[in-house]
Amino acid sequence: MYIRRVTRKNKDGTTVAYLQLAHNEWDPKAKYAKAKVIYSFGREDEVDRAVLERLAKSISRFLSPEQAWEIETLTGEVSDDFQFQSSKRLGGAWLLDQLWRQLGLGEILHSLFASRHHQIPLERLIFAMVANRALHPSSKLAMEEWVEKDVHIPHLPQVASHQLYRAMDELLAVQPELERQVFHAVADLLNLEVDLIYFDTTSSYFEVDPSETPEGESLRKQGFSKDKRPDLVQIVIGLAVTREGVPIRAWVWPGNTMDMTVIKQVKQDLIGWKLGRVISVMDRGFSSEENLRILQQAGGHYIVGEKMRSGKAAVEEALNRRGRYQQVRENLHIKEIIVGDGEARQRYVLVYNPSEAERQRKEREKLLESLKEELEGLRQLPNEAHHKATCRLRSHPSYGKYLRQLKDGTLRIDKQAVREAETYDGKYLIRTSDDTLSAEDVALGYKQLVDIEQAFRTLKSTLELRPMYHRLEDRIRAHVLLSWLALLLVRIVEIRTHESWPKVRDECERLMLGHFSSKNGDLYQRTELTAKQALFLAALGLEPPPKILGIHPRT
């Protein structure tokens, strides 16, 4: 269908033009298409232009902004006095929002909140807080200006801090079902391998002096700080990830919680998810006999690190067992060891890394040279200063283990301790309950614990989980939950693009949305995609944002 212009020549030689709305119909007899007039607008010089404008605008309502813009440009309806008003970052939030929808996270939240009948857009508020963690971590109050002036969050032009806190409270109320549904949605979409589940803990501190916490505080406690801030109160965070490094669940415990005490809860929480045959991979801090029994419940298995200086008889026997190492990778040599018989048998894999052994040997040589200089310096000190320096060296975390004190109080380098340390260079011991895995798979599975360490580094540094300033326990737990969702998106981006999140984020944040205005209305248009931006979006299976995001005519 189209508007056509036909002309007719009068007897006096003048030409008259007529405008008609027509469309082509096939004529089977003539065997070609003929124009059929649907409506005649009359003579061109007498047509009411307002009628045509109303028709064009009514049609434009069913076109995309880009198509409407192209039509207006061609017809000369666009004003040439556009002014550039402002710009916002578009690419990072667009990427995260499209991935959020692809994973079905928006639908999950909508379904969980469907019966609550809230007046505020809970799903959009939660996404905004997750995107803020990934793109520009800030307080909830600072997010008001960030959303309004700095970034384009789809379908969320502005936020208020009290709405964000309300959304955090509502999010925590649906946490158990949210975690379960998110796991199954992500596992199905990404076809995750969940036969190996890696678990570890870390701590995150608060910029609050312990004396300032209220009486009866149950969550913020002083404990063993993995951030080297024992002077501050903290919480303990547990994280379970797949072998691909995708975080599937996070836990929060009081800051004085010991690693050994959390395994039972972790195991019980994951049993309800019907993961099938699961092998839990954990570090040396979780290898108590009670924890290992818990991990074998419901047909589960474990791969855990063993402390080589634990004093356990089985560990000593495994370390002293003779036999050759088998090289399975560069700088990865393994030796399988079975200790005991029957049901009491224990399977170990001793791993040796020649490169790491050489590094440790050189570091110890430097440390011993420095220690010799310290001992030489002791001879020059008077009695009281000599006594203080001696105590300092004996209690030193690095020097102390290589010192022995003679009966007269003289310090000497303990050569036996040095020889014992040499026997452990480049080695670590792994214990497993699964006889179906090869020794190589056991060693490589344990080595992948580096993925969870990377996840913790991303949580603390890139997503700026710490320090925290929340006081209420529910808000603290909700803050960790939001950070987990942000980490989930970030790790999927890294896995699919094979690039670090900071690199992807910085490149995508250069895609801007410009706001232009004229007397006829407002136009929102993005900058041109770079080759890298297009490559990242393609790797993630996401569509780029349209060139024109919106046209708002003024009435």
Side-chain angles (χ1 to χ4, degrees), residues 128 139 188 213 359 364 552 555:
S139 68
D188 291 342
T213 57
R359 185 190 67 81
R364 186 171 50 254
H552 305 296
T555 57

Side-chain angles (χ1 to χ4, degrees), residues 323-338:
R324 292 184 177 181
Y325 286 96
Q326 173 190 357
Q327 182 173 355
V328 295
R329 294 283 193 279
E330 184 180 1
N331 291 320
L332 184 64
H333 301 233
I334 62 173
K335 179 167 59 175
E336 183 174 4
I337 304 157
I338 304 296

Side-chain angles (χ1 to χ4, degrees), residues 296-314:
Q296 285 186 279
Q297 293 174 1
H301 288 283
Y302 60 79
I303 297 174
V304 297
E306 276 280 12
K307 295 179 180 179
M308 293 191 289
R309 294 179 175 88
S310 65
K312 294 180 181 178

Side-chain angles (χ1 to χ4, degrees), residues 47-74:
V47 167
D48 186 352
R49 307 293 292 187
V51 173
L52 296 179
E53 288 176 5
R54 287 196 299 272
L55 177 61
K57 287 180 179 180
S58 65
I59 294 174
S60 297
R61 287 184 299 142
F62 301 95
L63 303 178
S64 67
E66 297 94 328
Q67 292 169 327
W69 177 257
E70 290 175 1
I71 292 173
E72 291 180 4
T73 303
L74 292 174

Side-chain angles (χ1 to χ4, degrees), residues 72-176:
E72 291 180 4
T73 303
L74 292 174
T75 58
E77 293 296 324
V78 176
S79 173
D80 58 359
D81 61 347
F82 268 95
Q83 294 181 346
F84 175 58
Q85 297 292 343
S86 63
S87 65
K88 287 185 174 183
R89 294 185 182 90
L90 171 66
W94 177 271
L95 181 150
L96 292 174
D97 186 55
Q98 294 300 302
L99 184 58
W100 177 271
R101 297 173 186 276
Q102 185 186 82
L103 297 175
L105 303 186
E107 293 180 4
I108 291 172
L109 287 173
H110 281 304
S111 66
L112 293 176
F113 296 137
S115 61
R116 296 175 180 261
H117 306 295
H118 288 290
Q119 301 299 317
I120 59 175
L122 284 176
E123 182 270 338
R124 287 289 82 192
L125 293 170
I126 292 169
F127 169 74
M129 289 186 284
V130 171
N132 180 258
R133 282 290 107 196
L135 299 172
H136 187 74
S138 61
S139 68
K140 303 303 177 283
L141 185 61
M143 273 190 65
E144 293 182 355
E145 185 171 347
W146 182 69
V147 171
E148 184 179 1
K149 298 181 179 179
D150 297 334
V151 67
H152 175 75
I153 302 291
H155 310 295
L156 190 69
Q158 58 187 11
V159 299
S161 57
H162 70 273
Q163 293 178 331
L164 296 174
Y165 286 123
R166 178 68 181 277
M168 291 177 70
D169 296 339
E170 295 294 336
L171 178 67
L172 192 62
V174 298
Q175 178 180 1

Side-chain angles (χ1 to χ4, degrees), residues 358-372 402 418 422:
E358 181 64 16
R359 185 190 67 81
Q360 292 176 356
R361 184 186 66 79
K362 290 181 178 179
E363 283 188 355
R364 186 171 50 254
E365 287 180 352
K366 291 180 181 179
L367 186 143
L368 292 175
E369 287 296 325
S370 177
L371 180 56
K372 289 178 182 178
Y402 296 119
V418 174
E422 290 174 348

Side-chain angles (χ1 to χ4, degrees), residues 34 70 146 157 173 193 204 221 239 307 411 465 479-480 503:
K34 292 183 178 180
E70 290 175 1
W146 182 69
E193 296 184 40
S204 188
K221 297 281 188 179
L239 196 63
K307 295 179 180 179
L411 293 182
L465 175 70
H479 177 74
V480 175
K503 185 173 182 179

